[in-house]
Amino acid sequence: MSKRTELPRPEDTAGPLEHVSTGPAVRIRMTGQQRKSQLIGIGRALFAVRGLDGTTIEEIAASAGVSKPVIYEHFGSKEGLYRQVVETEFRILLDSITEALSTEAKPRVLVERAALALLGYIEDRTDGFRILMRDAPPSQPEGAFSTLLSHVTARVEHLLSDEFARRGFSAADGAMYAQMLVGMVAMTGQWWLDSRTPDKRAVAAHLVNLAWNGLTGLQKEPGLRSEA
């Protein structure tokens, strides 16, 4: 027997929508914006599991309880819906990390907050992260995640350059170390996507432990200073 789809409420479409059924759904009356948000949520869940090429417009329509022309009306095509999903997730993650790096705090605390922002996004919006990692939309041929990391690296480079200059090191080296630091956090986030252990705060603490103290200065039981 087909399983009925649980349609997301309009106020819930900004969060993750996991395990969308492709069975028949009951069509309910929505405003145009509510319907668009619902389709973005359903598309996100299906794209996360099957990717752009593996998801059909028929599956999306059936899960939403609408006809295919409704999807075309809002997004023009399946690719248009996918592009909207990617842009939405991209902006949410970028805003979260940018906010973490924009507050007044010592550089180490800012790195902690940025790591927690990424891990928190992965925890709360797993579908979105899988999509950002997997496919490159036409508007971002180099990949959505790569584009996002470039934005974050530029912000971290400025932060590290100031810190290096304050300590008497070459400020120009900040660019190189920013690449290393952001790459390390990103790779750890990809690993934690499926592992989910230890919890995100422990992972963030160990990340900063390695980044800040180096292998020769590792602490046995690192903690987050931002939560002290």
Side-chain angles (χ1 to χ4, degrees):
M1 179 180 295
S2 297
K3 183 179 178 181
R4 287 185 180 274
T5 303
E6 292 187 6
L7 298 177
R9 296 173 299 170
E11 62 270 26
D12 291 341
T13 53
L17 179 62
E18 310 279 358
H19 312 302
V20 171
S21 167
T22 56
V26 177
R27 183 169 185 177
I28 59 177
R29 186 176 298 278
M30 296 182 181
T31 66
Q33 186 57 48
Q34 288 172 337
R35 181 65 71 187
K36 183 176 181 179
S37 297
Q38 179 221 18
L39 291 170
I40 290 174
I42 288 175
R44 180 175 60 241
L46 290 172
F47 291 139
V49 174
R50 301 187 177 94
L52 173 61
D53 294 336
T55 302
T56 66
I57 200 78
E58 288 80 9
E59 287 178 303
I60 298 169
S63 294
V66 301
S67 61
K68 291 190 292 184
V70 173
I71 300 174
Y72 295 135
E73 176 185 349
H74 285 287
F75 304 101
S77 64
K78 179 184 72 171
E79 289 73 18
L81 171 57
Y82 180 80
R83 185 162 46 249
Q84 183 64 63
V85 169
V86 171
E87 290 174 356
T88 298
E89 296 303 313
F90 180 96
R91 180 51 53 188
I92 290 172
L93 179 52
L94 181 60
D95 286 350
S96 178
I97 296 177
T98 299
E99 181 180 0
L101 292 171
S102 298
T103 55
E104 289 294 330
K106 293 182 178 180
R108 171 169 176 158
V109 173
L110 293 178
V111 173
E112 289 179 1
R113 291 175 179 172
L116 282 171
L118 173 62
L119 296 171
Y121 171 84
I122 294 172
E123 183 176 65
D124 297 337
R125 303 184 69 85
T126 301
D127 282 347
F129 189 71
R130 290 189 187 281
I131 291 171
L132 292 179
M133 287 298 304
R134 176 187 288 146
D135 301 316
S139 59
Q140 295 169 329
E142 70 277 20
F145 195 59
S146 295
T147 301
L148 181 139
L149 292 183
S150 295
H151 285 282
V152 175
T153 300
R155 181 68 180 85
V156 173
E157 178 183 341
H158 177 70
L159 183 156
L160 290 183
S161 295
D162 289 346
E163 180 68 9
F164 276 32
R166 187 181 68 81
R167 296 189 177 199
F169 295 105
S170 171
D173 287 342
M176 178 175 61
Y177 279 89
Q179 293 285 345
M180 296 176 185
L181 181 58
V182 172
M184 182 175 68
V185 174
M187 289 298 295
T188 303
Q190 293 175 48
W191 161 78
W192 194 73
L193 172 65
D194 294 315
S195 173
R196 297 304 174 93
T197 183
D199 66 53
K200 64 185 178 185
R201 285 175 173 76
V203 173
H206 283 284
L207 269 170
V208 180
N209 186 29
L210 176 58
W212 219 255
N213 299 314
L215 290 174
T216 59
L218 288 179
Q219 299 170 349
K220 291 182 179 180
E221 296 182 2
L224 296 178
R225 295 186 182 183
S226 57
E227 295 187 351

